[in-house]
């Protein structure tokens, strides 16, 4: 990013903070659809050029799949964040979405989606709907997305948003995702977007032979690793620790 871009971004963040202090919401009419599209293209360029932590992992997996990058180019992240976060929607960082939760960093969303190796005939499960953004990115890549959120308020907002935006192949549910969603599965891919200190056995059971699970494993205060689990055709499971990450905790009990 050049100096001008950094100055523009800092100015936007300051302006946004000021507006938030004044109780105003967002920057009315600040950006056109073309502006947002340009921001998305820049975001995807950042993701593609990301080499700091995951370059070797991406190399091992053949670089980002063009389908995944295309999904990142079309999903409107600015429609998944609270009004006061809209100006930062395409910055490559997590953002608060209320209820103490965050929408994940776009690079991590792209990486987790890529690692799932989504195919058009797949049914996938997401644990941790949050804003609904990860589900929206998966939506054009697979047949069905089933997504579970444990915080009622968040789950309701996300379900409404996904339906209003026309993500018709996404099914939502408010529940403790530890138990998966057998009626929606079995699943060719499972993505967990909150960190758990162990892999919930029901999720492993609901993963099809040949399926893949991507999950951050680690405690609230200990190091977490993005972990890829492959179940082969015979049902044998192999686990790969890929890179250190920081996710909000996997919690228990609907609230
Ligand atoms: N995928 C989201 C990221 C949300 S952050 C997005 O794209 O915006 C992780 C989410 O996981 C939080 O909303 C949190 O409430 C939820 N979560 C944590 N534990 C959970 C559980 N046991 N079942 C379902 N959701 C859970």
């Amino acid at each position: 990013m050049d100096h001008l871009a950094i100055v523009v971004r800092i100015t936007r963040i300051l302006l946004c903070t000021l507006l938030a202090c004044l109780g105003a919401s967002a920057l009315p009419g600040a950006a056109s659809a073309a502006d947002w599209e340009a921001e998305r293209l820049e975001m995807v360029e950042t993701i593609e050029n990301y080499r700091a932590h995951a370059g070797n992992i991406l190399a091992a997996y053949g670089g980002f799949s063009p389908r995944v990058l295309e999904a990142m180019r079309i999903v409107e992240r600015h429609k998944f964040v609270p009004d006061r976060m809209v100006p930062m929607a395409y910055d490559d960082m997590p953002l608060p979405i209320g209820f103490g939760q965050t929408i994940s960093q776009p690079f991590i969303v792209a990486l987790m989606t890529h690692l799932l190796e989504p195919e058009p005939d797949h049914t996938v499960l997401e644990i941790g709907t949050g804003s609904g953004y990860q589900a929206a990115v998966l939506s054009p890549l697979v047949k069905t997305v089933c997504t579970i959120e444990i915080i009622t308020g968040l789950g309701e907002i996300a379900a409404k948003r996904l339906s209003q935006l026309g993500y018709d192949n996404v099914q939502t549910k408010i529940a403790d995702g530890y138990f998966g969603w057998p009626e929606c599965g079995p699943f060719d891919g499972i993505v967990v977007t909150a960190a758990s200190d162990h892999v919930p056995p029901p999720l492993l059971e609901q993963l099809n032979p040949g399926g893949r699970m991507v999950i951050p494993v680690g405690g609230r205060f200990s190091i977490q690793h993005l972990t890829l689990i492959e179940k082969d055709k015979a049902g044998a499971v192999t686990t790969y620790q890929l890179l250190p990450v920081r996710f909000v905790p996997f919690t228990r009990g609907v609230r």
Side-chain angles (χ1 to χ4, degrees), residues 123-230:
T123 297
V124 298
L125 173 68
E126 177 194 23
I127 308 300
T129 315
S131 67
Y133 178 69
Q134 169 76 77
V137 168
L138 283 164
S139 166
L141 298 171
V142 299
K143 185 164 71 126
T144 306
V145 182
C146 309
T147 180
I148 306 178
E149 172 56 51
I150 202 164
I151 299 178
T152 307
L154 261 185
E156 285 175 354
I157 294 169
K160 192 167 160 210
R161 174 182 287 142
L162 287 162
S163 133
Q164 280 175 349
L165 293 174
Y167 289 101
D168 297 335
N169 64 341
V170 179
Q171 297 190 39
T172 60
K173 170 166 145 162
I174 292 164
D176 181 349
Y178 190 90
F179 304 105
W181 191 348
E183 303 78 16
C184 218
F187 303 103
D188 305 294
I190 299 180
V191 60
V192 182
T193 65
S196 174
D197 59 6
H198 67 279
V199 178
L203 298 185
L204 215 44
E205 277 160 31
Q206 291 167 38
L207 190 63
N208 269 331
R212 300 158 75 82
M213 188 188 321
V214 182
I215 176 170
V217 179
R220 192 182 288 240
F221 301 111
S222 58
I223 206 165
Q224 304 166 358
H225 283 101
L226 192 63
T227 304
L228 171 67
I229 298 168
E230 288 177 355

Side-chain angles (χ1 to χ4, degrees), residues 3-45:
H3 284 106
L4 181 63
I6 292 171
V7 170
V8 169
R9 197 140 287 183
I10 290 174
T11 310
R12 274 169 44 207
I13 291 171
L14 289 176
L15 197 57
C16 176
T17 310
L18 179 67
L19 282 171
C21 290
L22 293 173
S25 70
L27 298 169
S32 68
D35 293 336
W36 290 130
E37 195 179 349
E39 291 223 18
R40 272 200 300 285
L41 292 182
E42 197 188 313
M43 178 190 84
V44 173
E45 234 169 75

Side-chain angles (χ1 to χ4, degrees), residues 106-126:
F107 169 74
I108 291 289
V109 173
L111 180 61
M112 292 174 91
T113 309
H114 173 83
L115 292 169
L116 278 182
E117 298 188 356
E119 294 293 339
D121 61 343
H122 279 182
T123 297
V124 298
L125 173 68
E126 177 194 23

